[in-house]
Amino acid sequence: MSSGDDSYLRDRALDVLLDPGLAHVVDLVCWVEKGLVHVADSKGHVALRATGECTLLAGRDPIVEQDPMSDSTSCYPFAAQRLHSLFADQRAPDLAVVHTGAHCWPERGGHPGEHGSLNAVQSRAPLILSGPGVEARGVVERVARVVDVGATLAHLAGASYDGMDGAPLPDAVPSAAHVVGLLWDGAQCADLLALEAAGELPAVSRLLRRGCAFRGGAIAEFPSVTLVNHTSALTGVGPGRHGIVNNAFYDRVLGQQVVPNSSDTWHSAMQWLRPGVTTVFERLPAGLRSACVNEPVDVGATYSTFGLIRETGAAGNLGPHLPVAADDPHATQEFVATDKDYAWGTQVDAAGLDQMLSLWREDVPPRLTWCNTTLTDSGHHAGGPGSDIARSSMRDADRRLGVWLDLVEERGLLDDTVVLLTADHGSEAADPSCTGDWDEALRKARVPFRDEAYGFLYLGHDVVS
Ligand SMILES: [Zn+2]
């Protein structure tokens, strides 16, 4: 958008987006003006400094509730820091439209369970730390952020976390020979802890017996979507610094749409990292081995699944090379048979377990291992948190975790291994009766725009995606 048109186009778009008639689907609209982040809904408007200082400009404050321990769908933890982080990159949109938690949009690719919002429910990932140096305290009343994951892994592995936005968890004592980060994509914090407490995630219980879980989990960067937060977890910086601002975005300098988060582009997603941003793998002291399993944010890892995919050119045709889901003893076969994403996630995670076992059967396992579990995201999208399919995806992931933990225990390495289990975002159930579309309203009002990843509006473009 050229600067002369800024306020005119933005005001026209805001008139449409903040109309009370769209309030059931538009939770918030956020933008930057003169260095301040503005946040508005149909009933109020505030301006935020990065320090959190907030000026009320109209009506009532739409993000007044920010208690990071609250599980209210209208609570927005760390709102100022997270929004300022996003808008620091020029790839950020002119207007970020935040869906209400209830908004149901299957016609645009939405699912019964969704995430992406600034709210606490969709932003809260689980966070468990286990192993030597960690006091066994069960569930503790604490909260961290996804950017703290990178700092914690670096600190535990003896690497520097200088320059990261996050900080190591106070419980992380760098004494273990091996550091393992596990990401259960989309696993909802509250439901994971509830299932564990009910005895249904025995491998997670094994971790908890040697550590602690934060009830407030780790709060994702905004938007609370996959690649933004995988990248934040493994670089320790927010999207305004690492540059992966959404699963799809528009790069104004290149004049092109960028879609780094798809099965066809994951292996090459890191080409979009901003210069100077380093992963935890790159920060490891020279000569130490690292492994990055089923994870696109792999720069500098000694072993990388996606590195192998890049070398062999197998991207886009991996299915025949993966284990068969119907034969998987750890899978809930009812959902393998009925949900193709569940079947695919099962294949990918079975291959992940195979890689974890062979890496950990080596004479000396890697100093730093990271493993991404994808099935949990499929399960939560398919049914929403607490659904049978979401819970089955966590039980399956737990069985695979148990197999790897058995190997660690057999080899006598439990006391040398610290494990961090987290996710990239939370999950919230949509309300099937809550439908609507702001793009249609903008088109009717003749506002020129493009909408990337359904919520990132770039004004002044006539292309609507
Ligand atoms: Zn995800």
Side-chain angles (χ1 to χ4, degrees):
M1 187 169 67
S2 64
S3 56
D5 296 335
D6 276 13
S7 54
Y8 171 66
L9 275 183
R10 185 171 57 220
D11 289 350
R12 274 177 60 195
L14 286 171
D15 278 348
V16 173
L17 296 165
L18 299 176
D19 187 290
L22 278 181
H24 65 297
V25 295
V26 175
D27 189 29
L28 304 168
V29 183
C30 314
W31 69 97
V32 162
E33 202 175 332
K34 294 180 183 144
L36 299 177
V37 169
H38 289 246
V39 182
D41 67 4
S42 63
K43 294 179 182 163
H45 176 184
V46 291
L48 303 169
R49 293 185 190 281
T51 54
E53 190 187 330
C54 176
T55 307
L56 185 65
L57 299 175
R60 57 97 181 94
D61 180 352
I63 52 168
V64 68
E65 203 188 327
Q66 296 196 18
D67 175 1
M69 297 299 288
S70 165
D71 264 332
S72 160
T73 193
S74 53
C75 176
Y76 309 93
F78 313 115
Q81 295 100 309
R82 293 196 288 154
L83 288 169
H84 270 275
S85 173
L86 166 68
F87 283 106
D89 193 295
Q90 59 179 326
R91 289 170 177 162
D94 295 307
L95 295 170
V97 186
V98 180
H99 297 253
T100 59
H103 189 199
C104 186
W105 40 283
E107 71 289 353
R108 298 284 302 267
H111 302 87
E114 268 304 339
H115 54 85
S117 164
L118 188 70
N119 80 25
V121 182
Q122 297 188 26
S123 301
R124 191 182 313 290
L127 185 61
I128 294 173
L129 191 65
S130 169
V134 187
E135 196 184 331
R137 290 185 292 157
V139 179
V140 296
E141 295 300 303
R142 288 183 40 198
V143 63
R145 295 176 59 185
V146 165
V147 285
D148 297 329
V149 169
T152 302
L153 294 173
H155 182 56
L156 286 168
S160 163
Y161 56 90
D162 280 357
M164 288 187 178
D165 293 340
L169 304 178
D171 308 71
V173 180
S175 57
H178 307 285
V179 180
V180 179
L182 306 172
L183 186 147
W184 286 12
D185 199 303
Q188 205 222 30
C189 181
D191 206 47
L192 183 146
L193 294 179
L195 267 195
E196 188 282 326
E200 294 192 44
L201 301 176
V204 172
S205 296
R206 285 165 76 181
L207 294 181
L208 257 183
R209 281 198 288 277
R210 301 167 62 85
C212 62
F214 284 22
R215 193 176 66 77
I219 301 294
E221 292 299 296
F222 175 76
S224 54
V225 297
T226 294
L227 197 58
V228 169
N229 283 287
H230 282 240
T231 312
S232 290
L234 286 164
T235 61
V237 304
R241 291 180 62 195
H242 63 58
I244 313 283
V245 296
N246 206 330
N247 288 334
F249 55 86
Y250 183 73
D251 188 305
R252 295 183 182 85
V253 174
L254 298 174
Q256 72 175 65
Q257 183 198 40
V258 177
V259 186
N261 191 70
S262 81
S263 55
D264 293 336
T265 57
W266 260 33
H267 63 287
S268 59
M270 288 305 102
Q271 69 180 293
W272 303 107
L273 265 191
R274 290 297 193 189
V277 176
T278 51
T279 67
V280 290
F281 308 111
E282 293 175 285
R283 286 170 176 260
L284 271 194
L288 295 179
R289 289 170 50 249
S290 58
C292 184
V293 176
N294 287 0
E295 168 61 60
V297 187
D298 64 350
V299 183
T302 319
Y303 170 91
S304 161
T305 314
F306 282 96
L308 294 174
I309 291 171
R310 286 190 294 272
E311 274 171 32
T312 58
N317 187 32
L318 289 173
H321 304 288
L322 299 175
V324 177
D327 298 339
D328 191 320
H330 311 302
T332 305
Q333 288 298 334
E334 173 197 348
F335 294 123
V336 168
T338 54
D339 186 301
K340 72 176 176 26
D341 291 338
Y342 201 97
W344 170 251
T346 295
Q347 286 191 275
V348 171
D349 290 353
L353 175 59
D354 286 347
Q355 294 169 78
M356 285 295 279
L357 294 178
S358 55
L359 287 159
W360 276 71
R361 282 186 186 122
E362 290 173 12
D363 288 345
V364 181
R367 176 81 168 112
L368 174 63
T369 306
W370 175 264
C371 181
N372 172 32
T373 286
T374 193
L375 179 73
T376 37
D377 195 55
S378 310
H380 282 77
H381 276 309
S387 62
D388 193 15
I389 190 168
R391 291 182 156 189
S392 293
S393 71
M394 289 200 283
R395 292 188 199 101
D396 292 6
D398 188 83
R399 281 189 280 272
R400 296 190 182 97
L401 171 60
V403 174
W404 173 75
L405 276 176
D406 286 346
L407 173 65
V408 179
E409 194 166 355
E410 262 167 48
R411 295 199 58 186
L413 294 172
L414 272 184
D415 288 336
D416 297 318
T417 304
V418 64
V419 180
L420 184 154
L421 171 64
T422 189
D424 49 347
H425 46 72
S427 178
E428 184 173 5
D431 173 354
S433 70
C434 181
T435 58
D437 179 19
W438 54 77
D439 285 350
E440 197 183 307
L442 286 167
R443 278 194 293 271
K444 265 191 201 154
R446 300 190 169 277
V447 176
F449 69 101
R450 56 185 302 150
D451 187 344
E452 297 293 349
Y454 202 9
F456 268 27
L457 301 184
Y458 298 82
L459 302 175
H461 297 272
D462 284 319
V463 183
V464 181
S465 55

